[in-house]
Structures are given as structure tokens and as C-alpha cells.
Amino acid sequence: MVSSLAPVGALLLSVALLLTGNGLQGTLLPVRANLESFGAISIGVLGSAYYIGFVGGCLLTPRFIRRVGHIRLFTAMVSAASVIPLVHAILVVPAPWWLLRGLTGFCMAGLYLIIESWLNERATRENRGLIFTTYTTVNFSVITLGQMLMLADDPLRFHLFSLASILVSLAAVPVAMTRSPAPAPISSTRLSLRKLYDVSPVGVAGVLTVGLANGAFWALGPAFAAQTGLGVSQVAWFMSATVIGGALSQWPFGRLSDRMDRRHTILIACACAAGAGLLIVFGYAVWPAMLPIAAFLFGVFSFPLYALSAAHTNDMAKDVDFVAIAGGLLLINGAGSVIGPLIAGIAMERIGPLGLFGFTAVTHVAMALFALYRTRQRAAPAQAEKTDFVPMPSTAPVRADLDPRAEEGSGNVDGREAA
């Protein structure tokens, strides 16, 4: 096992440092913005700006790599991404923060894609599954670590912004020192979103739901926790509880979905995620101490939705390029992540912090009803035709061709009857 991971150890370390620094920023900025009285809508725009930049980075990075190469682009993006947290600390004004957050999203998407393309180049048929699993485990682990680094200092001081900058800067060292040859340029495989919906309406709606609900949570969850009276350490535990819940539930939901119609699993997950949101909305006034428990449950039921939706889409695809499907789902998820924080921010502005989980509950209920409707329109694929479930973090991009299922083949877009 160790020998299989040795060729990619440096790259995994770079990912860990990047995600730790970005995870710290993801909690630090909404908390600081709340302390500076930015307002819920302004904090929601901050979250949306990150995902606008993220989608742009996913779309444009392959073109930049072809122009200047992996090493030069990686160096440039690390330099920019490490400077941005320091500018956040110096210029504490909403509009510049929106622009800076968009630039962070752009740089981070590009950095992840560069490193993941390197991982894919080093992966073989024998160790691809191990590398993918290790990568996913690293994702969940270090994002939790990034949340907990909030405990290191007061968010009103400069130190946490400096720490985020240091972590991102250090991510360049393992890549610069690795002896692995640079990978081939990243290919851009496109799939019409209309054709993707024809392949699997539930899959497309599922990743859109993840973008709307989880995007809103990541953008506004720390501000919600702070506005309900939690201290900085409690905010960190609140966010970490969600990530831990999502990490622990990936495989149980995956195994369940392998044994039944995945749309039923998606329905169950959405209904329970809505229940967790409503538990916060109606239970907070009665028992405020239940927030970390409810956050854990929210992560348990909402975080596996992306992987479940992706697996269902691939179940329904016939001779469709896996990488093209994953790229289309990524764009739809990104679009939802742009819209979700804006709507949730308005809800929080109008009805208070509990509006965040009121919004996620409505979103999950709508998805559960849609999944129920689609189960009555088309039969599920035969058990023998289902693809393997593969856990995926919904907090960072994952290159589709790193996924073990990417080796199953590709072809023209020719969908089986839509689910």
C-alpha cells in the first residue's frame, strides 16, 4: 500500500496543504464578515463569488496549461492564492472581498486541477482505486483540520489570515520538489447540458440541489453559527461536525444505493437532510445545545448526495464519456453553488439566521419530491447495469479521469431511457 502511494505522496501533501488553507479561509471569512457587520446578503455574495471563480477556473485552466505549462501556471496561481488572504486582512470592505473571493475560487480550482491531473498521470489500473480513496480521505480530513485552526487565534486579528497564506504558499514546495514528470495537457471534454438532463433528470437535479444547499451552507454556515450566539471555538466545532458526518456516511449510503434503486436512496437522503434542517429551525429555540448534533446529521444526509447523483447518472448512461458526464455535473453543481448563497442570504436577511436551514430544507424537500416523481416515470436500471458507487467530496473538485470508473470506456452521447 505504501509503495503504491509513494509516487504521489508529494502531490497528496500539496493537496492537503491547499485544502487546509482553503478550509480555514472558508470559515474565517464569513465569521470575520459577520463581526464586521457585512450583513447576510453580503456574506452570501461572498460565497457566490467564490463559486463563480471556481467555475471559471475549471473552464479556463486547461487553456492556460496549454499556453504556459503546468509548472509555470501552478507557481503563478500559488503566488496569487497566498497573497489574497493577506489582502483580505488589510482591506476589510465588502466589494473588494467579493472580488478577492472570486479570485481565490479561480486559483484554487486551477491548482486542484493541476495536481489532480498529475495524480491521474501517476495512477495505474492497479492503484487507481487506492489513490482515489486516499485522495478523498485527505479531502475530508484536512478540511476538518482547516475548520479547527479557527481555534488558534481571534478572527479579528491578522494571524489567522497569515496562517492561511502560509499553508497555501507551502503547497508549492512538494510539487516543486517532486521528480514526477509533468502530465500531458488537460483535455476539455464537453457534454450538452440538455443531453445530460436527458440521460438522467434525477442526477442533474441532484447535483444542482447539492450546489444550492451545500453552497449556501459553506458560504453562510459560519455566519449562521456566529449569529446564533456561538463563540469562535463553537463555530469551528459546528462546521467540523458537518464535515465529519458527511465523511462517515459516504460508504453506508453508497452500499445502500448499490442494493436498491438509487433514486430511492437519494429520496431518503434528501428527506432526512430536510429533517435535519427543520430540526435546527424549530429545535434551536428549545434546545440550543443541539446545534452540533443537528449539524452532524445535516452532513450525514446532505454530503453523500453528490456521489449518489453522479453514480445514478452513470447508471443511466449508455456509451457516454464518463469524463464528459462528470464535467457537466461539475458545472451544474457550480451554478447551484453560485445561486444558493444568494437566496439563502436573502432568507437570512428577511427572517433571521434560521432562514439558512429553512432554505436548505425547502431545497431538499423539492428534490425528494422530484425523485419520487421520476421513480414513477421510468424503471430503475437492472442491477447488473449499475456502476460502482465511489465516494466523492463535495467540497473540492475531483478530476473525473482520476475516478476508477473513468476506465470503463467512453463513446458518443446516447442515453438510455431517462430516469
Side-chain angles (χ1 to χ4, degrees), residues 149-166:
L149 287 176
M150 282 288 295
L151 305 180
D153 201 31
D154 185 344
L156 287 172
R157 300 177 67 188
F158 192 76
H159 299 74
L160 290 177
F161 293 90
S162 298
L163 180 57
S165 174
I166 290 168

Side-chain angles (χ1 to χ4, degrees), residues 69-105:
H70 289 78
I71 299 296
R72 286 191 179 93
L73 184 60
F74 187 88
T75 302
M77 285 189 164
V78 163
S79 297
S82 64
V83 167
I84 290 171
L86 303 179
V87 182
H88 273 295
I90 296 170
L91 192 61
V92 188
V93 183
W97 272 35
W98 300 339
L99 176 60
L100 292 169
R101 197 61 179 143
L103 291 173
T104 297

Side-chain angles (χ1 to χ4, degrees), residues 379-418:
Q383 190 68 27
E385 296 176 343
K386 295 175 73 171
T387 62
D388 293 333
F389 174 88
V390 176
M392 292 183 182
S394 60
T395 50
V398 177
R399 273 188 61 77
D401 45 10
L402 181 60
D403 190 320
R405 294 174 300 193
E407 295 186 349
E408 293 178 2
S410 62
N412 299 321
V413 177
D414 179 21
R416 188 182 290 129
E417 283 190 324

Side-chain angles (χ1 to χ4, degrees), residues 176-320:
M177 299 298 292
T178 184
R179 291 189 291 181
S180 296
I186 299 172
S187 60
S188 297
T189 307
R190 302 290 178 84
L191 176 64
S192 162
L193 298 185
R194 174 63 191 179
K195 290 181 179 178
L196 184 57
Y197 180 83
D198 290 340
V199 168
S200 176
V202 168
V204 168
V207 297
L208 178 63
T209 298
V210 172
L212 291 168
N214 290 12
F217 172 79
W218 285 114
L220 292 159
F224 159 84
Q227 289 177 21
T228 54
L230 299 186
V232 173
S233 62
Q234 294 170 310
V235 171
W237 281 109
F238 174 83
M239 297 298 293
S240 298
T242 312
V243 179
I244 293 170
L248 294 177
S249 65
Q250 292 277 328
W251 279 113
F253 266 107
R255 297 284 71 81
L256 179 64
S257 73
D258 285 342
R259 291 166 170 76
M260 61 188 295
D261 187 338
R262 285 200 216 274
R263 293 170 299 182
H264 291 152
T265 314
I266 291 171
L267 191 161
I268 292 169
C270 284
C272 292
L278 293 175
L279 176 63
I280 294 174
V281 171
F282 295 107
Y284 171 72
V286 179
W287 186 29
M290 51 71 82
L291 276 180
I293 299 172
F296 176 84
L297 293 174
F298 181 82
V300 165
F301 298 118
S302 66
F303 275 37
L305 280 172
Y306 191 97
L308 291 171
S309 299
H312 176 66
T313 303
N314 283 282
D315 289 345
M316 300 307 301
K318 180 181 180 182
D319 299 326
V320 182

